[in-house]
Amino acid sequence: MAESEHVADSQVARVALTPAAAELIRRLSEEHGPLMFHQSGGCCDGSAPMCYPLGEFRTGAADVLLGSLTVEGVAEPVGFWMSADQFERWRHTHLTVDVVPGRGSGFSLEAPEGVRFLIRSRLLDAPG
C-alpha cells in the first residue's frame, strides 16, 4: 500500500475523536503546529496512539492512513496512521481516540500534560 493511500472507504469512518481528545489536540496544535497520530501496535507505549508534530514520525510502505481528523479550531486535519500489520488485525474496527489521566509516552506530545491518549474500539457498523 502506498504511503499516501487512504484505507477507509469513502462511506466508512474508521477513526474519530472524543470531545476531550479534540480539546487536547487544539491545545497541542497551538503549541506545536500541525499534528499527526501513529499507532504501531507494539507493546507498552507502542500500543497507544502517539501524537507527534506533523512529519516528525516518518511513515512509509509499512503504514496506512486510517483517516484525517478535522478538529474545530485547528487549521490542518490530523492524520491518523497505523502500522499495516496492526491494521490487518484491526481492519474490522472503528477507533475512537480518547484522553484519560495518566502518564503518556515520553515521545507523545501529551506526556507533559498529565494525560495520555488511548484508543476505544468497536466493530465497524455493517453497511446499510
Side-chain angles (χ1 to χ4, degrees):
M1 201 169 280
E3 176 180 346
S4 61
E5 190 169 348
H6 192 286
V7 299
D9 298 330
S10 61
Q11 307 298 320
V12 178
R14 291 187 174 274
V15 63
L17 298 166
T18 64
E23 177 57 33
L24 182 55
I25 288 171
R26 273 190 286 281
R27 290 196 327 256
L28 292 173
S29 70
E30 286 174 9
E31 185 175 342
H32 301 282
L35 304 173
M36 66 180 290
F37 279 101
H38 187 272
Q39 180 143 358
S40 69
C43 70
C44 307
D45 285 340
S47 60
M50 307 288 274
C51 184
Y52 300 102
L54 182 62
E56 187 173 301
F57 184 93
R58 288 191 173 270
T59 58
D63 299 296
V64 294
L65 178 63
L66 295 186
S68 295
L69 301 162
T70 302
V71 178
E72 187 177 332
V74 175
E76 293 188 37
V78 179
F80 190 99
W81 296 83
M82 179 180 279
S83 67
D85 290 345
Q86 184 171 6
F87 178 72
E88 285 307 311
R89 292 186 296 276
W90 287 32
R91 71 180 316 118
H92 301 295
T93 60
H94 176 275
L95 307 177
T96 301
V97 180
D98 200 357
V99 175
V100 295
R103 180 167 150 58
S105 165
F107 297 111
S108 194
L109 290 176
E110 82 281 7
E113 304 286 323
V115 296
R116 63 186 180 92
F117 288 111
L118 67 79
I119 291 295
R120 300 186 189 280
S121 63
R122 64 172 170 78
L123 289 177
L124 283 170
D125 295 329

